[in-house]
Amino acid sequence: MQGINYWDEFEYSKLKLLLNNEKVNSILDVRNGMKKMDEQFPISIELHLTDNCNLNCEWCTDKSLRQNKAVMDLQVIKRLFREFWQHGTGVTLEGGGEPTLHPDFKEIVAAGKASNIDMGLISNGTVDISDCIDGLKWVRISLDSSTQDEYKREKGVDCFERVLGNLEKMSKARNPMDTFIGVGYVLTTRNQSNLVELIKQLDSIGIDYIYLRPVEESEDITPSLESLLDLRKKLAELTANTRIRYMLAISDRIVDRNAGLPCIAHSLTSVIHANGEMALCEKRRTDGIILGNVYESSFEEIWVSPYREQISQKLLDAECQGGCSACRITGFNMIFEQLEKVHSKHFI
């Protein structure tokens, strides 16, 4: 019998735009040529705490960042939190490395909580953070394997049982109404055979969801579209009788280059690297755009700067998306494109 699950919003994430109507209108004003950029703060920020990592994933897309070994200064983080609180911006704690390795990680969570910041965490789960989980709205643990042997092959170290133990500790420590706990799973051709048993185990310890997506930029181990569709059928049958939910990002395999659309939704989020560099996004592998550095300027100064206005205008040209790999923002760009074409908007 399927129980209560508080992650229904995960399936309908695009609908959260309805809760941010001023932001939506500002983005559409740019699309309509009424202004040159959306000056409102992002709905959420991806904040990299450190570039250091204790794993060695073969397919990691952030290996170049990890070479920096940067660690973001605690006082800079607290200053950013004050700005984000003023504008209602949520913060995802993550990294080019493992965020929980930041020497002040628990103080960072406490500072965000004290500032009334909505925070999420993407972590590899090797560090037990159950004693500060009440400061987080959600946690997603990147597991990417179903057995100890798979973990060692995919991650380069032997931490599988430790991560499962930490997941169970977090599940017991959290209030399920206040903090969602999920598992991230990068699919390769090597880690699918034991997935059903893993999901049953995750369900038994109270994990809310599993988010699966195919590996990026490792074509030799990227699952075929046919295998992904077959997996979706198996997952649908399995989760019909479990509490845990799943999401399989198949569209990441079939939609590229931002679907040939202008990237007007880029301002929904932004990325701040551990060295302070503020990036437009993380998907422009061949055309990375750095907007400024939060060690030198406030977030707001960078966000409303003439340079960002110039970039916003550049992204209105659909041809400028050639450097983009598959991206979750594409789905939002498609929504804005569809909204723009609605002929009967004054009728329900």
Side-chain angles (χ1 to χ4, degrees):
M1 187 73 180
Q2 187 170 348
I4 297 173
N5 187 292
Y6 300 103
W7 196 248
D8 288 339
E9 60 192 85
F10 186 75
E11 297 184 57
Y12 307 109
S13 60
K14 303 292 191 298
L15 290 179
K16 285 185 279 189
L17 288 175
L18 296 174
L19 302 174
N20 297 274
N21 61 305
E22 291 184 6
K23 183 71 174 177
V24 170
N25 289 334
S26 182
I27 291 173
L28 288 175
D29 283 347
V30 177
R31 179 70 176 81
N32 294 331
M34 297 176 65
K35 60 183 181 180
K36 291 189 175 182
M37 73 171 175
D38 164 32
E39 71 285 350
Q40 294 200 8
F41 267 44
I43 293 175
S44 63
I45 291 290
E46 299 171 19
L47 183 61
H48 292 195
L49 299 185
T50 176
D51 290 333
N52 296 317
C53 189
N54 54 355
L55 301 183
N56 188 28
C57 302
E58 177 183 336
W59 33 258
C60 177
T61 57
D62 287 329
K63 286 185 178 180
S64 60
L65 286 177
R66 285 169 54 186
Q67 295 173 3
N68 299 329
K69 299 187 180 300
V71 177
M72 179 160 280
D73 182 78
L74 176 61
Q75 297 309 313
V76 172
I77 294 171
K78 289 181 176 180
R79 170 169 57 80
L80 289 170
F81 281 171
R82 289 192 291 271
E83 286 195 84
F84 297 150
W85 171 77
Q86 291 174 345
H87 295 271
T89 296
V91 176
T92 299
L93 303 174
E94 52 175 285
E98 167 51 37
T100 62
L101 295 182
H102 192 290
D104 302 310
F105 177 77
K106 291 182 180 179
E107 187 173 351
I108 290 168
V109 174
K113 183 179 179 182
S115 298
N116 292 316
I117 299 291
D118 282 353
M119 291 179 295
L121 170 67
I122 297 177
S123 166
N124 63 28
T126 57
V127 176
D128 178 14
I129 52 98
S130 58
D131 59 347
C132 64
I133 196 168
D134 62 344
L136 301 165
K137 285 284 187 179
W138 58 268
V139 175
R140 187 163 78 231
I141 300 300
S142 302
L143 190 55
D144 311 318
S145 52
S146 301
T147 68
Q148 187 176 31
D149 288 340
E150 285 180 4
Y151 194 96
K152 286 190 288 186
R153 184 172 61 233
E154 300 298 322
K155 303 285 199 174
V157 298
D158 183 5
C159 292
F160 183 70
E161 294 299 331
R162 184 204 303 180
V163 174
L164 286 180
N166 287 339
L167 274 167
E168 187 166 8
K169 290 177 184 177
M170 285 186 282
S171 182
K172 290 179 178 178
R174 57 90 182 246
N175 181 335
M177 295 289 290
D178 296 333
T179 307
F180 302 140
I181 301 178
V183 162
Y185 204 101
V186 176
L187 287 164
T188 72
T189 55
R190 308 180 301 207
N191 64 358
Q192 297 184 50
S193 57
N194 300 289
L195 189 52
V196 168
E197 291 306 312
L198 172 70
I199 292 177
K200 291 179 181 178
Q201 186 176 2
L202 295 175
D203 184 56
S204 70
I205 63 176
I207 303 305
D208 296 302
Y209 71 95
I210 182 168
Y211 171 65
L212 308 106
R213 64 173 179 83
V215 64
E216 296 178 17
E217 299 180 356
S218 294
E219 294 183 4
D220 56 323
I221 56 172
T222 301
S224 67
L225 180 58
E226 182 181 8
S227 70
L228 292 175
L229 293 172
D230 182 61
L231 176 61
R232 185 167 66 181
K233 291 180 182 178
K234 293 178 181 178
L235 293 176
E237 293 174 0
L238 172 64
T239 56
N241 297 303
T242 62
R243 178 187 181 281
I244 194 171
R245 301 289 181 87
Y246 82 94
M247 180 177 178
L248 177 56
I250 292 180
S251 62
D252 284 359
R253 290 293 317 280
I254 58 179
V255 179
D256 202 2
R257 295 172 61 93
N258 195 42
L261 297 172
C263 190
I264 61 170
H266 72 272
S267 63
L268 290 173
T269 185
S270 189
V271 183
I272 301 176
H273 292 161
N275 64 1
E277 289 184 343
M278 186 170 149
L280 178 76
C281 72
E282 290 292 77
K283 295 297 184 179
R284 299 181 70 87
R285 305 295 187 197
T286 61
D287 181 24
I289 297 174
I290 302 300
L291 301 172
N293 193 300
V294 295
Y295 280 87
E296 302 166 359
S297 307
S298 70
F299 183 92
E300 185 170 17
E301 287 171 337
I302 298 170
W303 192 246
V304 299
S305 68
Y307 180 63
R308 187 176 157 261
E309 180 180 301
Q310 176 185 336
I311 293 300
S312 296
Q313 288 296 295
K314 172 183 176 179
L315 296 178
L316 291 178
D317 182 355
E319 295 301 316
C320 286
Q321 318 313 321
C324 298
S325 59
C327 177
R328 65 190 179 93
I329 296 299
T330 295
F332 290 102
N333 281 318
M334 294 171 73
I335 288 176
F336 283 119
E337 184 74 8
Q338 292 164 357
L339 287 174
E340 190 62 22
K341 295 179 179 178
V342 171
H343 180 65
S344 53
K345 66 179 181 180
H346 296 297
F347 299 88
I348 293 294

